Amino acid sequence: MKVIFIGCGYLGMNLSAQLREAATVQTIGLPGPYAPYCADFLAVDAFDERDLDRVDFRDAVVVDTISLLPNNAKSDDEDAMLQHIGQRYSFLLQQLKQRKAAQLVFLSSGGTVYGNAQQPICEEAPLHPVSLYARSKVLCEQLIQNSGLPWLILRLANPYGGYQLTNKRQGVIPTAIEKILAHEEFEMWASPYSSRDYLYIDDFAQALRLLLRRRIVNQIVNIGSQQATSLDQILGIIQRQTGLALAIRHIQSEVPLVDQIVLDIGKLRRLTGFEVRVSLEEGIAREISRIRAQRKGREE
């Protein structure tokens, strides 16, 4: 199997590394801080037709890990912004179809597109995107389903773990660990009682491997742990495992946030037999060890 990852950020770099044992993998995208850690990385602008000529997409499974907007994006004219995103993404879909890609796997956001859900929410539930970022994901999902390409849409919970740059302020778990080890304030944008569904990157990679191996096509699938954990609980685990106290500064978010979300992964289990292997306690322990090692390496 030939797999091409578009985007070499946190997800693209970690997932491409883990799939190399099971597939022929190439990672393309714009150069960034993760690119030096992506084996066989090729600098390509995915929205430039001449740049795309440098890549052989024929019969490849293309995994889209890029995001056209950051999750804190805001705009005075959201409709105009979404129209621009739709035009760009339609171009990419057309190019992939013309170049005979076998399938597009799109990483959507299970943590935002559904809105609030205190009980595990399944793929058939109505969508309630409350932020511009979430609306952009829903738009791309719709364009993909109408593209004529074979597709697989993965609505992903909050991934964490693996190799992650701790100075990117990406992800509550690594950010809180970095702050507590540095004896710095952690900026809390959400309520301490807000809850999310967290999934260790190794488990996400395993879910992706299973779906590709079983050639699941034209399906929307939640990827998560089906376990809701509050921000307060996350910070409590980090403080217990480090033996340190975390200073917290509360900040009002400038964009709407989902307060409660947990994903129903029954469909993923039925399709693949997937089960979570890395508990939240173990995943956080791994993150603490990794970030401590990175900090030690920077200091030496």
Side-chain angles (χ1 to χ4, degrees):
M1 180 186 301
K2 180 169 69 172
V3 180
I4 298 174
F5 284 85
I6 300 181
C8 190
Y10 164 66
L11 285 176
M13 187 275 292
N14 279 281
L15 293 175
S16 63
Q18 295 213 28
L19 260 66
R20 282 192 172 84
E21 294 181 1
T24 301
V25 174
Q26 183 178 27
T27 308
I28 68 172
L30 298 177
Y34 285 98
Y37 306 97
C38 284
D40 303 317
F41 173 75
L42 180 65
V44 170
D45 183 347
F47 301 98
D48 184 295
E49 186 172 356
R50 293 181 63 182
D51 246 15
L52 291 174
D53 288 340
R54 302 166 58 204
V55 184
D56 180 12
F57 289 99
R58 181 176 293 273
D59 299 327
V61 175
V62 178
V63 183
D64 177 8
T65 69
I66 59 178
S67 183
L68 297 178
L69 284 176
N71 59 13
N72 61 350
K74 58 181 181 177
S75 172
D76 293 332
D77 191 341
E78 291 194 358
D79 289 340
M81 178 69 74
L82 290 170
Q83 182 179 16
H84 175 67
I85 288 170
Q87 291 170 346
R88 295 192 76 199
Y89 208 72
S90 294
F91 165 82
L92 177 59
L93 294 172
Q94 181 185 41
Q95 289 295 313
L96 294 177
K97 186 176 180 180
Q98 290 177 355
R99 295 166 193 271
K100 308 298 182 184
Q103 182 182 12
L104 174 65
V105 180
F106 178 68
L107 302 193
S108 190
S109 172
T112 64
V113 299
Y114 292 112
N116 287 294
Q118 295 186 353
Q119 299 298 320
I121 193 165
C122 68
E123 293 85 351
E124 290 75 27
L127 302 183
H128 295 287
V130 298
S131 66
L132 177 57
Y133 171 79
R135 290 180 67 193
S136 74
K137 290 293 188 181
V138 172
L139 172 61
C140 290
E141 286 190 14
Q142 294 167 345
L143 293 172
I144 289 165
Q145 291 176 74
N146 294 322
S147 68
L149 273 169
W151 52 268
L152 176 62
I153 292 171
L154 305 183
R155 291 181 179 157
L156 178 60
N158 290 57
Y160 72 101
Y163 182 78
Q164 195 164 6
L165 299 175
T166 56
N167 60 354
K168 293 286 288 180
R169 297 180 62 186
Q170 183 180 44
V172 63
I173 291 175
T175 299
I177 293 170
E178 176 71 24
K179 293 299 183 182
I180 201 170
L181 294 179
H183 305 286
E184 296 175 354
E185 280 188 334
F186 171 71
E187 296 180 350
M188 184 182 290
W189 296 85
S191 162
Y193 306 108
S194 63
S195 62
R196 299 285 185 275
D197 189 329
Y198 295 90
L199 186 69
Y200 195 71
I201 192 69
D202 290 12
D203 281 326
F204 179 27
Q206 174 64 2
L208 180 58
R209 274 193 295 266
L210 291 171
L211 288 163
L212 296 182
R213 189 179 301 158
R214 286 160 174 75
R215 301 185 184 278
I216 306 300
V217 177
N218 298 345
Q219 296 286 335
I220 298 174
V221 183
N222 287 340
I223 310 289
S225 67
Q226 200 165 308
Q227 177 181 341
T229 307
S230 72
L231 182 55
D232 189 56
Q233 289 174 306
I234 291 286
L235 300 182
I237 294 170
I238 291 171
Q239 290 178 101
R240 286 196 303 274
Q241 291 192 359
T242 60
L244 300 170
L246 180 63
I248 298 172
R249 181 159 61 98
H250 295 269
I251 296 178
Q252 182 67 40
S253 174
E254 296 182 354
V255 299
L257 298 175
V258 172
D259 191 51
Q260 311 283 334
I261 184 67
V262 58
L263 304 183
D264 185 322
I265 60 169
K267 184 176 183 178
L268 174 64
R269 287 170 169 154
R270 291 191 301 272
L271 290 173
T272 68
F274 171 82
E275 292 295 339
V276 173
R277 297 177 178 178
V278 181
S279 69
L280 187 60
E281 292 268 356
E282 180 184 350
I284 288 176
R286 292 186 187 183
E287 278 292 270
I288 291 170
S289 296
R290 177 186 67 81
I291 293 172
R292 275 180 166 151
Q294 280 185 234
R295 288 176 56 81
K296 184 178 179 181
R298 293 198 300 265
E299 293 168 357
E300 290 179 349

